[in-house]
Amino acid sequence: MASLSAANAQTVSVTVKPETVLAGSPELIRVAAADATSVDDEWLNRKLQFFRSRDGRSWFTLAGVDVEVAGGPSTLRISVHSATNAVRDFTRTVDIHPAHYRTGSLSVPPKFVEPGPDELKQIAAESDIKAKVFAASSAEPLWHGSFRAPVRSAPTDSFGTRRMFNGKLASIHKGMDFRAHMGTAVRAGNSGVVVLARPLYYEGNCVIIDHGLGLYTLSMHFSRIDVHEGQRVAAGDKLGLSGATGRVTGPHLHWAVRWQGAYLDPAKLLRLNLSAVR
Ligand SMILES: [Zn+2]
């Protein structure tokens, strides 16, 4: 078990859930410090922003470990600020366990493996659009309660799979594919703001929802988009219809979870019980 190193550590407790931290895990970090006026910390070179729980006694943040992070010890640095006690800094060691993801290969039209000059221009322009979207997350959490699956159909355990496209391009699959027939209603996994709703080269018709504090869900390959950029959505609101646009081998829904640039396993996020948190 990890230990705290600080003079006042006995007044502060830190828990990380799930307790077994894997590459690709989303992690709910809780700092119990009733007298705190704010809490901030740093983990794996990312700043964590905490919000106060409903009962006011704890501070939470939803963070995670990118699928490509190598296993080994990592350091969580926490600063607890309070009116009476100035700043209490301490560290905690979190062991990251390597996750074992599968490998696979598939075939897509050649333009998705070796795009031409015009297509490369389009891809570069779209990367700029996405970079702007990902740099402007809400400073407050926008989600409420646990996340839910975007479609009722069966998920696959495809997250983290190392894949070869057409025997050439190696890439890591950073989302979860759901088997969804053409035209299946795709719903918001939680509340937030639609920050992107448009066709993209690889993603096809794509909807990105900002859930605040750097956390986003991305849904791809829609046949039809039913929301617009800037729209607020609640969990379960219809975003559009699934399809087979972009780099696909057939109709399905690709659903991804991104936190501060890290891609997290959607299946693990769906298993996190957040109902008591906010
Ligand atoms: Zn996919």
Side-chain angles (χ1 to χ4, degrees):
M1 217 34 222
S3 61
L4 300 178
S5 60
N8 291 307
Q10 67 277 9
T11 62
V12 176
S13 87
V14 179
T15 53
V16 173
K17 225 166 69 175
E19 276 178 55
T20 302
V21 181
L22 297 168
S25 288
E27 294 294 332
L28 179 67
I29 302 173
R30 173 173 178 257
V31 175
D35 65 335
T37 51
S38 72
V39 173
D40 58 73
D41 90 15
E42 196 187 295
W43 188 30
L44 300 166
N45 301 316
R46 290 174 168 91
K47 287 259 177 243
L48 278 66
Q49 297 165 278
F50 283 77
F51 58 89
R52 205 191 276 264
S53 65
R54 277 199 211 127
D55 66 7
R57 301 185 59 79
S58 309
W59 295 76
F60 285 97
T61 195
L62 250 185
V65 182
D66 186 71
V67 59
E68 295 191 76
V69 166
S74 68
T75 304
L76 191 60
R77 287 174 210 288
I78 297 172
S79 300
V80 175
H81 305 254
S82 66
T84 49
N85 220 344
V87 183
R88 284 164 289 173
D89 291 314
F90 52 92
T91 61
R92 184 184 157 162
T93 300
V94 176
D95 288 319
I96 298 169
H97 302 270
H100 300 285
Y101 297 116
R102 296 178 299 120
T103 55
S105 59
L106 46 114
S107 297
V108 292
K111 69 167 185 168
F112 289 116
V113 174
E114 290 170 294
D118 288 351
E119 291 152 342
L120 286 171
K121 244 182 244 168
Q122 184 190 338
I123 291 162
E126 291 175 359
S127 290
D128 290 346
I129 293 169
K130 286 183 278 183
K132 282 201 188 101
V133 158
F134 292 134
S137 188
S138 162
E140 301 289 329
L142 302 176
W143 52 272
H144 292 279
S146 303
F147 279 72
R148 56 172 86 175
V151 289
R152 285 223 184 92
S153 45
T156 61
D157 66 341
S158 55
F159 178 79
T161 305
R162 272 148 229 278
R163 304 194 301 191
M164 293 290 281
F165 283 94
N166 302 2
K168 285 178 193 155
L169 176 70
S171 104
I172 291 182
H173 188 244
K174 294 184 174 178
M176 183 185 202
D177 291 336
F178 288 83
R179 293 183 186 96
H181 295 295
M182 190 69 90
T184 303
V186 179
R187 300 184 184 280
N190 211 317
S191 48
V193 175
V194 175
V195 288
L196 183 142
R198 62 173 79 191
L200 299 172
Y201 189 76
Y202 290 117
E203 297 86 345
N205 292 320
C206 179
V207 174
I208 301 179
I209 299 175
D210 177 18
H211 300 290
L213 304 183
L215 184 71
Y216 299 84
T217 51
L218 299 79
S219 302
M220 301 179 191
H221 316 309
F222 286 56
S223 56
R224 193 183 87 196
I225 293 176
D226 291 335
V227 287
H228 59 263
E229 293 173 5
Q231 186 176 333
R232 281 193 163 259
V233 289
D237 282 357
K238 190 174 159 198
L239 305 178
L241 300 178
S242 71
T245 54
R247 188 176 67 186
V248 297
T249 56
H252 73 279
L253 171 69
H254 175 103
W255 198 55
V257 175
R258 181 183 160 118
W259 171 73
Q260 289 199 22
Y263 281 90
L264 311 179
D265 185 351
K268 294 183 177 75
L269 181 64
L270 293 173
R271 283 197 294 269
L272 262 187
N273 183 355
L274 302 172
S275 55
V277 177
R278 62 175 262 111

